[in-house]
Every structure is written in C-alpha cells, then in structure tokens.
Amino acid sequence: MASADWPIDEAPGRDVVALIPEDFRLESGERLAATTLAGRLHGPEHGPLVVVAGGISSGRFATRWWSWAVRSGGPVDLNRVRVLAFDLLPGRDGPGVTITTADQARLLAILLDALDEPAIDAFVGASYGGCIGLAFATTFPERIRSLVAISAPHLAHPAATAWRGVQRRLLAFARDCGRESEGVALARELAMTTYRTPDEFGLRFAPTPPARAGEAYPVCDYLIARGAAYDEVTSAARWIALSDSLDRHAVRPEQIRCPLTVLGFTSDRLVPIDDLRELAALAPAGRLIEAPSIFGHDAFLKEREVVGRALHDALLPLNALPREIAA
C-alpha cells in the first residue's frame, strides 16, 4: 500500500509496549495468550495525540497500511500530531479467542496508561478500527475528545455477517484438513468480492473465457493474486477471531458524547449507508459525510480526496492549536 510520494519504509517512529495485567479477561472470560501489547508512536513528542486504527489486517504500522494518509504533510499530519497505532490482537498465531471491540478498547486503555496518557485528542478509525473507536468512545467517554469513524457501523449488518460467516467456515475447514495456507488464500479471494463493487469489476475485467472449464477467468487471476499475497499476513485462527469480533460489534450511538464524524460510501455493501446515517443521527454530536465510490468498502484506502478532506477538516482544530491548549 505504499504511495508514490512516500517510500515503502515507514516514517520514523518508535515501538511502545504495555504489559497486559495477569487478571485481564476478555468479555468472554477467556485470557489472551500474549502478555504484552505493542503500539507505535510517530510525530512530535508533545503534539496532540491521535489514535489510528484500520481493518482487521492492519496493526501498529499505520504509516505502511495507510501511507498516503498518515505522513508528514498528509491528512493526518505527522508534523503536527502524534499518532499512536496498535496491534489489534497481540501475537500473530495465538489460539482462537472470542474478542470484542470493547475488549480492544480496554487493551488500548492499557497501552495509554503505560504511556501516561489520560485521554486522546482524536481517534481515527476505518472499518474494524472505526468499530473499535466507537467502542472506545462508549466505554471510556472521559478519555476521548473527538472521533472519526470511516465505513464503521454501530451494529454489524446481517448480510455482512453472512459473508464473513462463510469465510470463517472455509478457514476452519481448510485448517482442519491441514491446508491452512490455501484456506487463507481462498477466504481472502472471497472477501475481496465483498470489499469491492460489481461496477469496479465491470470496468477492470473482460469476461474472456479461459481455454477449458475450471481454469481462471481474468477477474479470477486478480483474486488469486490477492489471496496469495495474504497468506503471510494472518493465520486462520487470527482471522476467525477478528472476523467474529466484527460481527459481535454493537454500541449505542446515544452514548457517544464526543464530536463524531461519520464517513461512508454509498456503494459499500458490508456497511450499508443507511446504517451510517442512523449512527450519525443517533449520536448526540454526530455529523455524516457520504460519497459515491466504485471501490465499495475499500474506499477508505482508495478515495484519497474525499477521505483526506474529511480527515483534514476533522483534525483541523488539533493542527491549529498547540498541545497545551488542545489538551
């Protein structure tokens, strides 16, 4: 995801680590296998603090997976603000656990405590990261001053749960058959058909039949490449846990006290725009921005002008004020 104006190596930053208390339990009652949680800080030492979180395959390297947005001079300007991103599930290949977005919010609070940060100036979350932001705002209303939620609902839609449920069963089946890598690749291929739109596929791929039945069509070649590239990103257990977490997500918008900017795209099939309209309308200080896009759910990665403008406007008060005043 490196942009043309930013090298593949991330901007200068430093890792931070917090110990997970021994008595920490997930809402399910389970314990995490990991004993530490890792985050990464960028930006000026005393700048306003902005937490950035993305989809289930993101983590603490925000300047890699969102390189065009989180950079010096970018919409999330590392010349003006500090950025904290964190790993969404400690450990890459830990055992499958039942973890909620509220659990993720509590883990973030542990990391903030380790950094001696009583509150954050803004939370910018997209997709799963936006769900965590919503959960953080309802769980710790005194610790957040503003929230930007992009393509992130207050409640999972049943159609999205249906698609993700098929992916989880495919992952479990492949893992149990000893073919986990192939299962991860196939589940990613299926997921890509829900992230993008029929309009985009229609523009990009010709319906040219292959020589024989069972061989790949042009659009299938694209999906196969995306699946193969994903094998090194996650394990079946990790994907199942985080995918399930999306479907357990539920918050009450009425409990979000801080200013909330909701950004959604009318072509997003995973997060229907009507759900985001409801979220913004029910939140006491909610504001909705909606836009068209051929990229569907992946629009937060692709629609630089719309997303960049929304981030710039939402974070403008932080960019204009020194840390002492913003705090």
Side-chain angles (χ1 to χ4, degrees), residues 99-164:
I99 187 168
T100 67
T101 52
D103 290 327
Q104 301 279 19
R106 292 165 54 222
L107 287 167
L108 172 58
I110 291 171
L111 186 58
L112 292 172
D113 289 343
L115 295 171
D116 196 25
E117 294 286 351
I120 59 177
D121 294 289
F123 192 119
V124 174
S127 188
Y128 184 58
C131 296
I132 296 173
L134 293 167
F136 189 88
T138 56
T139 306
F140 302 101
E142 73 286 354
R143 302 192 71 168
I144 181 171
R145 298 187 177 97
S146 64
L147 171 61
V148 180
I150 307 172
S151 303
H154 55 296
L155 186 68
H157 194 281
T161 299
W163 283 318
R164 286 191 289 262

Side-chain angles (χ1 to χ4, degrees), residues 32-294:
L32 289 169
T35 58
T36 60
L37 172 65
R40 193 161 180 83
L41 276 170
H42 298 274
E45 183 177 354
H46 299 293
L49 182 59
V50 178
V51 172
V52 173
I56 62 173
S57 59
S58 68
R60 70 184 188 274
F61 296 102
T63 57
R64 292 182 185 173
W65 60 259
W66 218 9
S67 59
W68 66 264
V70 183
R71 60 181 178 87
S72 297
V76 183
D77 188 356
L78 296 182
N79 293 328
R80 293 293 305 169
V81 302
R82 282 182 300 154
V83 166
L84 173 65
F86 61 101
D87 290 340
L88 301 179
L89 184 58
R92 179 181 183 274
D93 294 310
V97 295
T98 304
I99 187 168
T100 67
T101 52
D103 290 327
Q104 301 279 19
R106 292 165 54 222
L107 287 167
L108 172 58
I110 291 171
L111 186 58
L112 292 172
D113 289 343
L115 295 171
D116 196 25
E117 294 286 351
I120 59 177
D121 294 289
F123 192 119
V124 174
S127 188
Y128 184 58
C131 296
I132 296 173
L134 293 167
F136 189 88
T138 56
T139 306
F140 302 101
E142 73 286 354
R143 302 192 71 168
I144 181 171
R145 298 187 177 97
S146 64
L147 171 61
V148 180
I150 307 172
S151 303
H154 55 296
L155 186 68
H157 194 281
T161 299
W163 283 318
R164 286 191 289 262
V166 174
Q167 294 165 32
R168 290 193 292 270
R169 292 191 295 277
L170 175 58
L171 288 163
F173 178 76
R175 178 195 59 197
D176 294 346
C177 291
R179 303 178 70 173
E180 179 171 341
S181 294
E182 293 170 80
V184 168
L186 284 171
R188 179 64 170 179
E189 291 181 43
L190 177 58
M192 289 299 300
T193 67
T194 69
Y195 298 156
R196 301 300 180 87
T197 66
D199 287 342
E200 183 194 1
F201 285 157
L203 289 171
R204 291 182 60 182
F205 304 105
T208 306
R212 291 179 171 80
E215 295 178 351
Y217 285 71
V219 67
C220 299
D221 286 329
Y222 163 76
L223 294 174
I224 291 168
R226 299 283 70 76
Y230 204 64
D231 179 42
E232 295 299 319
V233 173
T234 191
S235 65
R238 180 181 179 82
W239 191 346
I240 289 170
L242 292 176
S243 168
D244 178 82
S245 183
L246 269 168
D247 290 324
R248 292 177 187 274
H249 170 70
V251 301
R252 294 184 59 189
E254 300 88 344
Q255 296 179 345
I256 301 173
R257 302 177 191 171
C258 66
L260 168 64
T261 298
V262 178
L263 173 57
F265 296 90
T266 54
S267 60
D268 190 340
R269 294 181 294 165
L270 288 177
V271 184
I273 193 64
D274 283 344
D275 290 1
L276 298 185
R277 291 168 180 160
E278 181 179 61
L279 167 60
L282 292 176
R287 179 174 75 103
L288 174 66
I289 302 170
E290 60 179 88
S293 173
I294 65 168

